[in-house]
Amino acid sequence: MMEKATSEKPRKKAVPTEASIDPATRQMIARAQDLNIETVFDRAENMKPCNIGVQGICCKNCSMGPCRLPLPKSGIEGEDDRKGLCGATPNTIAARNFIRMIAGGAAAHSDHGRCVAEVFMSAANKETDVYKIKDPGKLLSIAPWFNVDITIEVDGETVDRDIDEIAVEVAEKALNEWGKAKGELLYLKRAPKALYEKWEKNGVLPRNIDREIVEIMHRTHMGVDQDYKNLIKQGTRTAIADGWGGSMMATDLQDVLFGTPYPLESEANLGVMKEDHVNIVIHGHEPILSEMIVAVAQSGEMEAYAKSKGAKGIQLSGICCTANEILQRHGVPLCGTFLQQELAIITGACDAMVVDIQCIFQNVANVAKCFHTKLITTHPIAKMEQENVIHIEFDEHYALEDAKRIVKIAVDNFKNRGADVMIPHQKGTQIAGFGVEAIKYHLGGTFRGSYYTLNDNIINGRIRGVAGVVGCNNARTRHNEGHIAVVKELIKNDVIVLTTGCNGIACAMEGLLMPGSAAAYCGPGLAEVCETVGIPPVLHMGSCVDNSRILLAASEMVKAGGLGNDISDLPVAGSAPEWMSEKAVSIGHYFVTSGVYTVFGVTLPTSGAPVFQKYLFEDIQKLYGGMWDLEVDPIKHARKMIAHIDKKREALGINKTRERIMMDMATRRELESA
Ligand code: BF8
């Protein structure tokens, strides 16, 4: 069936037990090796990362280079006189590289947001029948942030405005955020006042999304900005434009179009694929197309068509953040994380993999070639050169037709499956779909409708603090090990975890998103709260653009009171234990500059520029209250976060757990008469 080695030299193979902690993943890596198909795990054995690039001090911004400035093994004694041909210092080079990563990440999130805004505009203008406003309540809740009135005065009376009019105006205002000529991003005012004032004082209020990204490319061009503090200032402006701009609008407009998530039950891991069903795996990030595929695949017409071809039905599942999007709104199961994308095809049971944008390995096309799998690209900006890839360009005006065509290709392909199908049995059950609103409801109750109960439990010490643990897998570290170890250590120490992205998928695979995991893994305080309220100790808040939900949850905590007046006062911390993408750097930086101590695992491309790294790890705290850190060991990583949380508890004067005293009537009377 297959072969794939590309050189004469014998290639090394990954050891499955060392490559992943997940049994399903190990099984599929071994199967791939038996079939002589190479995966990312094997490639990571054969190609080691460049030591200079890892340190962040390779400059290839002009053709006199690349100039490489590695740290000497003996360290730097005295003055650091390393320079590129133009004289660029390690600080300049590392800062330029770092903010170019922010630009890449912010561009990816924000361009995704722009596509959603454009579809929202089509829906508002009624240019399409298939996209409609599914959650008018959410539209009304965001309209005022765009300065769009939701009521008008008629004959001296206040009446509700027509929802369609509101939608058109919100769409116009939202799209304007990418390129307006004057002013600042409108959503910045959603941050706590104290934070907004810090941004204003430091001169980092983003003007419009595209401009900030373009300005990074300009400033990092040869011979422009050569002051690492000034460079990172632009990185800050751009990262804020991502978190509080492009990503936040993507999240909100997706909720308006497709519904705001509320908790629902589903499953996760490769074991969600079914041998007797047509398996369609959706992979990427934008839910615009996948929403339609869900609708079509679940229609009676397509179910019947699948049955007519000998299948028992259609099993949809997802990889990466598209998976999180269709999980949180429809309960579609998660097939796997970023590092499992090739493995879904290696089951031999994937009839079609449908991809849109971001985090897609080009090698899925090579793996698909070894099986019957149809690989379908759908986005005009994301095609692949391999000949076996089918491109069906998705157009929102013909969304249903496109989705039907794609599902039909998968169904028709069912009969071409080989006999050697191997689907791992492992899958975890999960409760996902905790948006800001759902957390408010579950922890605050219908009437209270605030984060008061969460704050109260933090103040009384049952919950020690809140951690946002997010981000990717990285083939340079054992698949899912860091994710799970960090999260387990946090919940063991009564820190409730908010998760998104591939961390959310990893936690779902491990069963940590079930309320029952509270008794098994949590400290007594957090377990008590979870059991009383009926929530898991790890709350899945969605995809990577939905990290904006974590920013808003933190802002709600500030609003609920009792924990200071800024996000930087809260006992919270952020983490990306297995990060790999530029998007993660942008997220990390908007967490930090929103006041959150944020720890990354694996590596950080700043180590070759110690002065710049110190600025990120220490000095930047004076400006925004948050700072970066790097910790590879997952237990130490979690403990650093806990230590920060404890420091914040101490500053708030809530570091001593209040003892609960059983009072007799005499003591009560004494207290009352006092
Ligand atoms: O945006 S966590 S590997 S899937 S980049 Fe990609 Fe990283 Fe996964 Fe979602 Ni986010």
Side-chain angles (χ1 to χ4, degrees):
M1 162 179 200
M2 39 212 86
E3 110 359 304
K4 282 289 94 166
T6 45
S7 76
E8 296 303 312
K9 229 167 76 185
R11 307 267 293 168
K12 288 190 217 155
K13 290 185 173 168
V15 178
T17 48
E18 284 172 15
S20 175
I21 62 163
D22 170 48
T25 301
R26 290 173 174 178
Q27 186 186 347
M28 285 301 102
I29 297 171
R31 171 170 156 88
Q33 292 172 348
D34 288 346
L35 298 172
N36 202 21
I37 302 172
E38 197 178 72
T39 66
V40 61
F41 298 98
D42 303 316
R43 289 190 293 280
E45 294 297 320
N46 289 290
M47 187 193 285
K48 292 297 166 198
C50 161
N51 182 41
I52 301 165
V54 161
Q55 295 179 40
I57 26 95
C58 170
C59 180
K60 55 182 180 58
N61 294 9
C62 88
S63 77
M64 297 196 290
C67 294
R68 302 174 307 159
L69 276 52
L71 265 180
K73 282 219 172 68
S74 54
I76 306 271
E77 271 175 43
E79 200 189 333
D80 185 353
D81 59 358
R82 293 173 291 157
K83 327 183 168 60
L85 258 64
C86 69
T89 64
N91 294 331
T92 299
I93 292 173
R96 283 201 297 225
N97 290 339
F98 194 78
I99 73 169
R100 277 199 174 197
M101 291 185 89
I102 293 177
H109 285 145
S110 301
D111 211 35
H112 163 173
R114 186 202 323 260
C115 280
V116 177
E118 284 171 348
V119 172
F120 176 66
M121 174 69 101
S122 297
N125 284 327
K126 310 240 180 297
E127 288 165 11
T128 156
D129 294 337
V130 285
Y131 295 104
K132 298 205 165 70
I133 290 160
K134 196 163 176 189
D135 191 342
K138 180 93 184 199
L139 176 61
L140 294 178
S141 76
I142 62 167
W145 294 111
F146 289 105
N147 300 327
V148 174
D149 292 331
I150 57 173
T151 55
I152 42 167
E153 297 287 316
V154 178
D155 299 332
E157 269 184 53
T158 306
V159 295
D160 291 343
R161 257 184 100 190
D162 178 67
I163 196 87
D164 291 337
E165 266 177 44
I166 296 172
V168 172
E169 222 176 289
V170 166
E172 281 165 0
K173 290 273 180 68
L175 273 169
N176 204 27
E177 294 294 89
W178 273 267
K180 64 188 177 189
K182 279 201 219 151
E184 66 199 39
L185 292 188
L186 296 167
Y187 267 8
L188 303 177
K189 292 266 165 59
R190 299 180 80 170
K193 192 163 169 282
L195 178 56
Y196 177 89
E197 285 168 1
K198 277 179 193 153
W199 292 337
E200 193 174 35
K201 186 169 154 224
N202 292 309
V204 294
L205 295 171
R207 296 152 290 185
N208 72 54
I209 296 165
D210 289 350
R211 178 170 184 176
E212 303 313 350
I213 295 165
V214 168
E215 192 170 308
I216 283 190
M217 297 314 286
H218 180 188
R219 285 199 196 201
T220 57
H221 184 276
M222 195 273 147
V224 186
D225 202 349
Q226 296 168 118
D227 170 0
Y228 67 93
K229 291 183 194 165
N230 206 39
L231 283 159
I232 197 66
K233 182 175 167 187
Q234 181 57 19
T236 299
R237 210 186 259 136
T238 309
I240 295 169
D242 174 0
W244 297 86
S247 282
M248 200 171 275
M249 286 192 284
T251 296
D252 280 347
L253 298 177
Q254 286 170 180
D255 283 357
V256 173
L257 283 173
F258 309 128
T260 302
Y262 274 91
L264 36 70
E265 190 172 329
S266 187
E267 294 176 329
N269 210 343
L270 294 161
V272 304
M273 295 172 80
K274 291 189 182 142
E275 192 157 352
D276 52 9
H277 280 56
V278 174
N279 288 296
I280 305 177
V281 178
I282 309 178
H283 174 17
H285 283 76
E286 276 182 18
I288 304 285
L289 168 67
S290 49
E291 278 286 325
M292 287 306 122
I293 294 185
V294 173
V296 167
Q298 292 176 348
S299 69
E301 182 195 344
M302 277 297 158
E303 278 288 320
Y305 187 62
K307 285 182 181 150
S308 78
K309 299 286 173 184
K312 287 211 169 123
I314 299 173
Q315 178 62 52
L316 281 181
S317 60
I319 303 258
C320 286
C321 284
T322 288
N324 288 322
E325 299 285 3
I326 52 180
L327 162 75
Q328 66 183 346
R329 298 195 179 88
H330 302 285
V332 171
L334 301 167
C335 188
T337 61
F338 172 69
L339 280 185
Q340 290 171 286
Q341 53 188 289
E342 293 164 308
L343 308 183
I345 300 175
I346 283 160
T347 60
C350 178
D351 300 302
M353 180 175 274
V354 187
V355 303
D356 52 58
I357 47 159
Q358 300 170 22
C359 300
I360 297 147
F361 289 171
Q362 185 163 0
N363 199 59
V364 287
N366 300 330
V367 179
K369 235 184 262 175
C370 303
F371 294 90
H372 75 304
T373 306
K374 301 283 187 202
L375 179 63
I376 305 169
T377 53
T378 57
H379 208 288
I381 68 161
K383 295 185 176 184
M384 287 185 187
E385 70 185 63
Q386 287 98 325
E387 278 162 14
N388 62 317
V389 181
I390 305 167
H391 185 71
I392 299 181
E393 197 150 305
F394 180 70
D395 178 339
E396 79 256 23
H397 299 98
Y398 305 98
L400 266 185
E401 290 87 331
D402 291 340
K404 268 187 197 162
R405 208 173 134 207
I406 289 168
V407 173
K408 197 161 171 294
I409 288 174
V411 174
D412 289 338
N413 197 29
F414 178 71
K415 65 173 188 304
N416 298 324
R417 251 193 224 174
D420 54 345
V421 165
M422 185 195 282
I423 301 176
H425 297 302
Q426 288 82 8
K427 56 182 173 180
T429 44
Q430 57 168 326
I431 307 283
F434 286 92
V436 174
E437 299 83 350
I439 294 178
K440 198 180 262 189
Y441 173 74
H442 276 269
L443 282 171
T446 323
F447 300 109
R448 228 175 239 162
S450 88
Y451 276 51
Y452 171 82
T453 313
L454 175 62
N455 286 20
D456 197 32
N457 278 298
I458 291 172
I459 292 164
N460 70 29
R462 284 194 193 93
I463 297 178
R464 193 167 184 162
V466 181
V469 189
V470 307
C472 326
N473 286 142
N474 186 321
R476 299 296 178 196
T477 183
R478 202 179 189 195
H479 170 242
N480 283 0
E481 182 174 60
H483 281 314
I484 300 306
V486 167
V487 169
K488 280 189 177 167
E489 185 65 17
L490 289 168
I491 61 177
K492 187 174 113 188
N493 287 284
D494 292 318
V495 175
I496 193 167
V497 172
L498 308 179
T499 178
T500 62
C502 288
N503 180 273
I505 303 175
C507 290
M509 287 161 59
E510 195 73 14
L512 296 176
L513 304 187
M514 290 304 284
S517 66
Y521 299 112
C522 291
L526 179 59
E528 188 186 336
V529 174
C530 290
E531 280 159 14
T532 311
V533 184
I535 55 165
V538 184
L539 302 177
H540 192 334
M541 298 192 81
S543 65
C544 284
V545 290
D546 293 335
N547 283 312
S548 62
R549 297 192 203 272
I550 298 183
L551 296 177
L552 291 177
S555 305
E556 288 288 340
M557 287 172 68
V558 173
K559 225 190 280 172
L563 294 174
N565 69 351
D566 197 353
I567 292 175
S568 58
D569 296 330
L570 300 171
V572 303
S575 156
E578 300 181 27
W579 79 280
M580 63 87 205
S581 82
E582 292 170 326
K583 292 181 285 175
V585 178
S586 182
I587 293 164
H589 201 63
Y590 72 64
F591 267 41
V592 165
T593 52
S594 297
V596 182
Y597 169 63
T598 302
V599 191
F600 270 36
V602 194
T603 179
L604 210 60
T606 52
S607 59
V611 174
F612 172 57
Q613 180 165 284
K614 180 179 167 292
Y615 187 76
L616 291 179
F617 284 20
E618 293 172 23
D619 307 349
I620 203 165
Q621 187 187 3
K622 292 187 204 109
L623 304 181
Y624 307 104
M627 67 285 203
W628 281 88
D629 206 349
L630 168 70
E631 180 52 65
V632 178
D633 179 281
I635 299 300
K636 284 190 196 151
H637 183 117
R639 295 214 174 130
K640 280 181 158 186
M641 295 166 74
I642 295 165
H644 177 82
I645 285 169
D646 286 348
K647 209 172 76 193
K648 292 293 166 185
R649 292 186 65 85
E650 197 179 336
L652 289 163
I654 56 168
N655 47 329
K656 289 171 207 82
T657 310
R658 286 184 200 166
E659 279 184 42
R660 276 178 284 154
I661 307 162
M662 296 300 284
M663 286 186 281
D664 59 20
M665 282 316 286
T667 323
R668 267 175 211 274
R669 271 195 292 273
E670 219 171 276
L671 270 176
E672 274 160 22
S673 60

